[in-house]
Amino acid sequence: KAGVTQTPRYLIKTRGQQVTLSCSPISGHRSVSWYQQTPGQGLQFLFEYFSETQRNKGNFPGRFSGRQFSNSRSEMNVSTLELGDSALYLCASSSSATGDRSGYTFGSGTRLTVV
Amino acid sequence: AQSVTQLDSHVSVSEGTPVLLRCNYSSSYSPSLFWYVQHPNKGLQLLLKYTSAATLVKGINGFEAEFKKSETSFHLTKPSAHMSDAAEYFCVVSGTDSWGKLQFGAGTQVVVTP
C-alpha cells in the first residue's frame, strides 16, 4: 500500500511569506504528526492530529499551525517566514490512537528554504 | 518525562565488521523504544521497535536491539556492516498516550569503509 506522501518535496520562499505543506497518511491511519529537522536542533515535534483534533503541540511559536481533514490528510502552515524556518519538515502517520505501540511511518519530507 | 541519549555522534566501521550503536533512555514508566534510519535526503525508516514483549528485538536488514531495563539501554547491533548501512541512526522513545510526540536522540552518523 502507498506510504506517507508529502508535497511538495522542495520549496523556496522569501522571508515574510507564508507556506503550506501537505501530508497524506497511509490509508486507514488517523494519527498524523509533524516534525521539523534542522542540523542544529535535530528533530523537533511540532504537533499531532487525530480525527481532525490537535491533541498535542510542541514548543513552536504561533506562526506554525496545522489542521487535519476528515480524510486524515493534514496540512501545516507557517506564516511570516523567517530564515530560521529553513528545515526539512517530516510528517508521520500511525494506525494506533496512541501510536507508541505500532510505531510511526514517516514521509520523505518537504525541504523548505527561506531566502 | 522521557529522554534518550545516543552515546556516539559518529561511528566508523569497516565493511563486514560488527556495528554497535549505543542508546540510553530515561522514562518514568515503561516506554516504547524505536530505532529509525535516515539515508541522505530521505525520510526516516523504522528499523525495529520494542513494546514490552521480547527484550531482544529483530528488525530489518539484519539489525537487532536488546532492551535492558536495569541499564536503561537499547543498543542497536548488526553482525556485519554493509556499505548500504552508511546513514544516520536515531534512537527514539515514546510513552503511553504520547499522542504523536516522539522523543528523538541526537543521532549517530555511521560511516562504512571498504
Side-chain angles (χ1 to χ4, degrees):
Chain A
K1 58 186 178 183
V4 178
T5 303
Q6 292 188 247
T7 56
R9 286 297 311 277
Y10 301 93
L11 267 178
I12 299 176
K13 289 287 187 179
T14 304
R15 263 187 311 174
Q17 287 186 314
Q18 74 165 17
V19 67
T20 300
L21 312 181
S22 180
C23 171
S24 293
I26 290 173
S27 179
H29 285 196
R30 294 162 64 191
S31 170
V32 174
S33 306
W34 289 88
Y35 290 83
Q36 181 195 65
Q37 185 177 25
T38 59
Q41 300 297 319
L43 281 143
Q44 295 185 91
F45 172 75
L46 281 156
F47 28 65
E48 188 260 3
Y49 288 87
F50 182 83
S51 293
E52 302 179 66
T53 300
Q54 185 184 89
R55 299 192 300 179
N56 204 352
K57 190 175 189 306
N59 295 323
F60 278 82
R63 301 185 296 107
F64 291 82
S65 63
R67 60 178 174 169
Q68 186 180 36
F69 301 95
S70 58
N71 62 357
S72 294
R73 188 178 71 86
S74 178
E75 290 181 347
M76 67 163 282
N77 183 277
V78 188
S79 62
T80 319
L81 283 166
E82 301 177 358
L83 295 179
D85 297 333
S86 295
L88 180 66
Y89 289 88
L90 292 163
C91 165
S93 74
S94 171
S95 61
S96 164
T98 55
D100 60 320
R101 297 298 170 183
S102 60
Y104 294 82
T105 302
F106 282 80
S108 297
T110 294
R111 174 76 62 185
L112 172 65
T113 302
V114 182
V115 297
Chain B
Q2 52 206 6
S3 65
V4 61
T5 301
Q6 292 184 243
L7 301 174
D8 307 289
S9 59
H10 287 83
V11 167
S12 183
V13 298
S14 299
E15 191 176 18
T17 64
V19 181
L20 169 64
L21 306 184
R22 299 180 295 165
C23 172
N24 286 349
Y25 71 91
S26 172
S27 179
S28 53
Y29 40 75
S30 182
S32 293
L33 293 159
F34 310 87
W35 276 98
Y36 281 87
V37 61
Q38 187 176 34
H39 288 91
N41 298 315
K42 300 284 188 183
L44 295 158
Q45 182 183 20
L46 179 65
L47 282 177
L48 50 78
K49 60 185 178 185
Y50 166 77
T51 56
S52 76
T55 56
L56 183 61
V57 182
K58 294 191 184 298
I60 62 171
N61 301 335
F63 286 94
E64 64 180 37
E66 186 170 9
F67 174 74
K68 292 187 176 180
K69 186 175 181 179
S70 61
E71 299 176 11
T72 61
S73 69
F74 189 57
H75 301 335
L76 181 71
T77 61
K78 182 173 181 177
S80 177
H82 191 272
M83 295 298 291
S84 61
D85 294 328
E88 188 154 25
Y89 292 78
F90 294 94
C91 182
V92 181
V93 64
S94 174
T96 304
D97 293 332
S98 60
W99 294 344
K101 186 174 183 178
L102 300 174
Q103 191 70 45
F104 283 81
T108 299
Q109 187 70 46
V110 172
V111 174
V112 183
T113 55

